[in-house]
Amino acid sequence: MRQRLSTFLLALSIACASAAPHAFETANGKRILVIGGQQAVSVMDPAQKYDLSIRTIQQATYDALLKYEGDPPELKPWLATSWSVSGDASEWTFRLDPRARFQNGDPVDAAAVKASFERTLKLNKGPAWMYADFLTPDNMTVVDAHTIRFKLTRPYAAFLGLVPWWYVVNVKEAMAHEVNGDSGQQWLTEHSAGSGPFRVKRVEPNALYELEPWNEYWKGWPQAERARLGGIIYRVMTENSSRRAALVRGEIDIASSLSPEDLDQLGSVKGVKIERKPGMGGFGLKFNTQGKYTADLNLRRALAYAFDYESLLKIYNGKARLMDSPFPPSVLGHIAVPDMPRRDMKKARAHLAKSQWPQGGIELEYVYVQGLEEERQMGLLLIDNLKPLGISIRMVPLTWPNMVARGSRVETSPDIFAAFTSAMSIDPESIAYQYHKGSWGQYYGTHFLNDPKLFALIDRARTLSSWPERQPLYEEIQRRIVAHQPEVFGMLRDRFTASRDYVQGLLDSPIRMAGEFDLYPLFIGR
């Protein structure tokens, strides 16, 4: 009864909402757009870390050699105007746009690009894992002021597809703020040293992040001068209900990471628009395969067969599709893996009987994002699904940074870690490597899966330049991952953006993380 009353009151408040006032303010005659985000921006340095909120700010304040745009995603020239590759995919050469400048006026030349890549590799954080096995500072050559060449230690056909996530930092500016040999990391936590269209204006940690446009942006602007934003405010609002209500009242202009129920309710609100597209990002309940309980393969399989996948889709009101492989269908080389687990309590009990806990009697920890309603509902689903097996669930909500910290070490990673993961590229390497030991401790590697044969397959596939040679390896990789059951392979949810109807330029691309925005093309159309 309480749930029905709550739903009724929510529907009533939305139905009665009149055309809300806009959230945007003005500065010097320009409009400032307000985004309600679910999580904070813990750091802005592209060499240190990335997630959906961090990368929203990074791609607004920094540029990369290339950029993903469109649906399906395509690689577009950005800092680089053109590129070439050797026949064996071991040598990649980029020609830079001579117009490119950092926001402090320094040129974004080949030496600056080399220094930025060197810094990322040296710090060995954030995106470093993507090239750490293939690229060293000695392999990067400044051919001339506007040409840089990467000669890899081994062929790597997936190199190009990961380039957009290596944002170029002005290392000269970062080093001017170095403290105790930290390469400027502390300063770049709340400042930027990039060449992107926006600059950091104000930071209130865990609460608010304000950007102002760099009017002299070297690449120009897609909007007319009169439509260009005067700034963007990213407000941290951890509760779904807070973001939804703020959008209805016109206190924010865009709301990210809303639940399916929120989106359904907002569909009837005058002045709010919902855009929907198929997604590439998968959701899984990742098991710590080296944990006290979930190290047991039969227990993991029992959990996977006990899970109610159809109810998972109901949580998303049908706005998702079940995964039939660790790879999303849009990734090259995807196959539908035979015998993917679906709810089957007979099989669940059979696997449990072969585990170390044939009668159950254990409690598993389920960690999920605080304030993310659908992940809370998944925890309740787990409680209900596993009760017949004599297994209980302890639900632990944490902020995303705290979740990532918990998952960084096998000793602290929980039994079950709720995680949305994204394809970093349309090349299968970007998904396969998430199950390699090189990804252990990243939010997508909290499974700590240990299979040397799988690692060897991934290492082999990533060094081949011929797709006909790579394809059968990736098919075997998908089957082998599923056989280990490192997670409940859940679903691929559709991508949604919820905004006031005057917000224009929301050019989504499925290669981005769910809830990640490209701020560059945005403007207010009134």
Side-chain angles (χ1 to χ4, degrees):
M1 178 65 183
R2 181 177 297 176
Q3 178 61 40
R4 290 199 300 269
L5 178 60
S6 174
T7 301
F8 170 75
L9 291 175
L10 171 62
L12 181 64
S13 66
I14 289 176
C16 293
S18 59
H22 55 72
F24 60 79
E25 302 173 4
T26 59
N28 299 321
K30 296 288 186 180
R31 294 158 172 173
I32 298 174
L33 192 78
V34 183
I35 298 174
Q38 191 271 334
Q39 63 188 39
V41 182
S42 59
V43 63
M44 297 185 183
D45 185 354
Q48 292 188 54
K49 192 181 292 187
Y50 60 86
D51 59 29
L52 66 92
S53 58
I54 293 172
R55 219 163 64 181
T56 292
I57 301 300
Q58 286 174 346
Q59 67 181 296
T61 52
Y62 292 90
D63 293 315
L65 295 173
L66 306 176
K67 183 176 181 177
Y68 276 115
E69 289 187 338
D71 183 8
E74 295 182 10
L75 285 169
K76 300 291 186 179
W78 212 254
L79 286 173
T81 58
S82 62
W83 61 90
S84 60
V85 59
S86 62
D88 66 351
S90 67
E91 190 170 292
W92 300 79
T93 304
F94 296 84
R95 182 69 180 172
L96 304 180
D97 193 321
R99 300 173 301 163
R101 293 287 184 277
F102 288 112
Q103 292 169 356
N104 71 348
D106 293 342
V108 185
D109 55 18
V113 173
K114 182 176 187 290
S116 183
F117 273 68
E118 285 177 339
R119 179 177 180 270
T120 299
L121 291 170
K122 174 187 174 184
L123 295 179
N124 197 29
K125 299 178 181 179
W129 65 269
M130 301 178 192
Y131 294 151
D133 294 339
F134 300 91
L135 188 61
T136 69
D138 293 338
N139 299 133
M140 294 180 275
T141 302
V142 175
V143 179
D144 59 43
H146 302 298
T147 308
I148 185 166
R149 179 172 297 135
F150 302 93
K151 186 170 179 58
L152 309 183
T153 56
R154 292 177 289 167
Y156 189 38
F159 180 88
L160 195 68
L162 298 171
V163 166
W165 312 127
W166 283 64
Y167 295 112
V168 176
V169 175
N170 187 345
V171 176
K172 178 181 175 183
E173 185 176 8
M175 293 301 289
H177 298 87
E178 184 179 36
V179 177
N180 298 323
D182 74 342
S183 299
Q185 290 183 82
Q186 183 59 44
W187 185 73
L188 286 177
T189 297
E190 297 183 2
H191 299 82
S192 61
S195 61
F198 289 91
R199 297 185 289 206
V200 177
K201 180 179 180 180
R202 176 172 51 133
V203 172
E204 296 178 11
N206 301 312
L208 181 148
Y209 307 83
E210 183 175 3
L211 305 178
E212 62 181 357
W214 178 33
N215 292 324
E216 294 76 33
Y217 181 46
W218 64 273
K219 205 171 182 70
W221 292 83
Q223 313 93 342
E225 168 66 26
R226 59 180 176 79
R228 194 180 310 162
L229 294 176
I232 293 176
I233 292 176
Y234 180 98
R235 287 177 54 191
V236 180
M237 309 173 74
T238 57
E239 297 296 327
N240 279 15
S241 58
S242 298
R243 296 193 302 282
R244 181 197 65 229
L247 186 66
V248 171
R249 293 193 297 263
E251 295 170 356
I252 61 175
D253 303 306
I254 302 174
S256 73
S257 305
L258 292 174
S259 72
E261 182 181 13
D262 291 325
L263 294 165
D264 284 345
Q265 296 286 353
L266 288 171
S268 61
V269 176
K270 184 178 180 180
V272 171
K273 64 179 178 179
I274 310 293
E275 296 184 4
R276 175 182 180 181
K277 292 183 179 180
M280 290 176 63
F283 174 81
L285 301 174
K286 295 185 179 294
F287 302 130
N288 181 350
T289 64
Q290 297 186 47
K292 178 180 178 180
Y293 300 117
T294 46
D296 189 310
L297 175 58
N298 276 301
L299 177 66
R300 299 199 300 270
R301 286 178 174 164
L303 299 177
Y305 278 111
F307 189 72
D308 188 348
Y309 297 84
E310 293 303 320
S311 290
L312 176 66
L313 293 184
K314 290 177 183 177
I315 290 175
Y316 275 83
N317 297 346
K319 300 177 177 65
R321 50 188 166 154
L322 294 181
M323 296 176 68
D324 59 6
S325 164
F327 293 8
S330 50
V331 166
L332 199 63
H334 163 272
I335 62 168
V337 178
D339 301 321
M340 283 284 283
R342 295 292 182 257
R343 184 168 172 81
D344 186 328
M345 291 307 296
K346 183 177 180 180
K347 289 183 178 180
R349 290 187 176 94
H351 281 293
L352 185 66
K354 292 186 286 187
S355 76
Q356 297 177 59
W357 299 276
Q359 304 302 319
I362 60 175
E363 180 184 69
L364 302 178
E365 183 185 32
Y366 168 69
V367 170
Y368 66 100
V369 177
Q370 177 182 322
L372 198 55
E373 174 59 20
E374 55 265 44
E375 289 190 358
R376 187 189 71 84
Q377 292 182 40
M378 290 170 198
L380 298 177
L381 184 61
L382 274 173
I383 290 173
D384 184 60
N385 291 169
L386 301 184
K387 189 177 296 183
L389 299 181
I391 297 173
S392 60
I393 292 291
R394 179 162 55 92
M395 295 174 57
V396 180
L398 294 175
T399 63
W400 180 245
N402 287 337
M403 277 186 68
V404 173
R406 279 285 310 273
S408 65
R409 297 171 57 242
V410 68
E411 296 82 5
T412 58
S413 194
D415 302 304
I416 306 174
F417 185 103
F420 289 93
T421 56
S422 298
M424 303 294 290
S425 166
I426 57 175
D427 191 284
E429 155 73 1
S430 69
I431 298 295
Y433 201 74
Q434 294 180 14
Y435 299 91
H436 190 279
K437 63 181 178 181
S439 292
W440 285 3
Q442 301 288 345
Y443 75 91
Y444 43 80
T446 55
H447 47 68
F448 293 96
L449 180 61
N450 191 7
D451 176 8
K453 290 185 178 179
L454 175 63
F455 302 158
L457 282 169
I458 295 171
D459 287 336
R460 173 65 175 158
R462 66 202 308 238
T463 60
L464 297 173
S465 60
S466 167
W467 176 246
E469 291 182 87
R470 299 176 74 205
Q471 182 174 1
L473 297 181
Y474 283 114
E475 292 178 0
E476 185 176 353
I477 285 168
Q478 291 169 78
R479 290 190 290 266
R480 195 169 185 93
I481 291 171
V482 171
H484 282 296
Q485 203 69 61
E487 61 189 85
V488 170
F489 295 102
M491 50 85 198
L492 298 160
R493 64 176 176 176
D494 293 342
R495 297 173 62 88
F496 290 88
T497 54
S499 69
R500 302 299 305 183
D501 57 9
Y502 48 73
V503 176
Q504 304 296 318
L506 277 165
L507 306 178
D508 190 35
S509 179
I511 200 69
R512 296 194 187 98
M513 299 178 183
E516 174 189 352
F517 298 104
D518 183 359
L519 306 182
Y520 175 51
L522 294 182
F523 65 100
I524 294 171
R526 68 154 62 155

